[in-house]
Amino acid sequence: MRLFVPFLCAAALQAGVIKIYDPSGGLPGAQGFSSDGGVLSAQVVTDEGLPALRMTGNTCCGYFVSALTPQQLADANTLGWTLTGTARVNASGGYGYI
């Protein structure tokens, strides 16, 4: 499966963004995210004119993750949060998770 993420993915508080991945800044590892080990490949590409992350995973799950700090978690629980992102799955089968 290929997953294209052409926009920013962020957990945002009323006061501002607390965690973000921006493909124009490089791979997720360079922005504090780590792979679960199921990511087979990842590269920053241009998709429909936008910076995007193209990745492939194994037959189960391949993803990047970054935990919130205790303060970020407390702020999110107190103020509320939203998660936004745009993804396009480009494959004949499989699953995409955000």
Side-chain angles (χ1 to χ4, degrees), residues 10 15 21 45 70:
Y21 169 67
V45 297

PDB file of all heavy atoms in Angstrom, residues 10 15 21 45 70:
ATOM      1  N   ALA A  10      -1.838  17.515  12.131  1.00  0.00           N
ATOM      2  CA  ALA A  10      -1.536  18.194  13.380  1.00  0.00           C
ATOM      3  C   ALA A  10      -2.596  17.917  14.426  1.00  0.00           C
ATOM      4  O   ALA A  10      -3.755  17.759  14.113  1.00  0.00           O
ATOM      5  CB  ALA A  10      -1.442  19.702  13.148  1.00  0.00           C
ATOM      6  N   ALA A  15      -5.053  27.117  21.605  1.00  0.00           N
ATOM      7  CA  ALA A  15      -3.935  28.060  21.674  1.00  0.00           C
ATOM      8  C   ALA A  15      -2.938  27.866  20.539  1.00  0.00           C
ATOM      9  O   ALA A  15      -2.082  28.704  20.331  1.00  0.00           O
ATOM     10  CB  ALA A  15      -3.228  27.909  23.008  1.00  0.00           C
ATOM     11  N   TYR A  21       3.311  17.152  11.612  1.00  0.00           N
ATOM     12  CA  TYR A  21       4.238  16.615  10.628  1.00  0.00           C
ATOM     13  C   TYR A  21       4.023  17.404   9.334  1.00  0.00           C
ATOM     14  O   TYR A  21       2.915  17.496   8.831  1.00  0.00           O
ATOM     15  CB  TYR A  21       4.033  15.127  10.351  1.00  0.00           C
ATOM     16  CG  TYR A  21       4.842  14.707   9.145  1.00  0.00           C
ATOM     17  CD1 TYR A  21       6.231  14.707   9.191  1.00  0.00           C
ATOM     18  CD2 TYR A  21       4.227  14.406   7.943  1.00  0.00           C
ATOM     19  CE1 TYR A  21       6.981  14.392   8.084  1.00  0.00           C
ATOM     20  CE2 TYR A  21       4.975  14.087   6.825  1.00  0.00           C
ATOM     21  CZ  TYR A  21       6.360  14.077   6.903  1.00  0.00           C
ATOM     22  OH  TYR A  21       7.105  13.780   5.795  1.00  0.00           O
ATOM     23  N   VAL A  45       7.749  13.362  -1.501  1.00  0.00           N
ATOM     24  CA  VAL A  45       7.504  13.542  -2.925  1.00  0.00           C
ATOM     25  C   VAL A  45       6.608  14.757  -3.119  1.00  0.00           C
ATOM     26  O   VAL A  45       6.119  15.350  -2.158  1.00  0.00           O
ATOM     27  CB  VAL A  45       6.830  12.292  -3.540  1.00  0.00           C
ATOM     28  CG1 VAL A  45       7.730  11.075  -3.428  1.00  0.00           C
ATOM     29  CG2 VAL A  45       5.482  12.022  -2.889  1.00  0.00           C
ATOM     30  N   PRO A  70       3.905  15.057  28.717  1.00  0.00           N
ATOM     31  CA  PRO A  70       2.865  15.148  29.752  1.00  0.00           C
ATOM     32  C   PRO A  70       2.122  16.494  29.718  1.00  0.00           C
ATOM     33  O   PRO A  70       0.905  16.534  29.898  1.00  0.00           O
ATOM     34  CB  PRO A  70       3.635  14.965  31.055  1.00  0.00           C
ATOM     35  CG  PRO A  70       4.789  14.095  30.668  1.00  0.00           C
ATOM     36  CD  PRO A  70       5.172  14.586  29.292  1.00  0.00           C
TER      37      PRO A  70
END
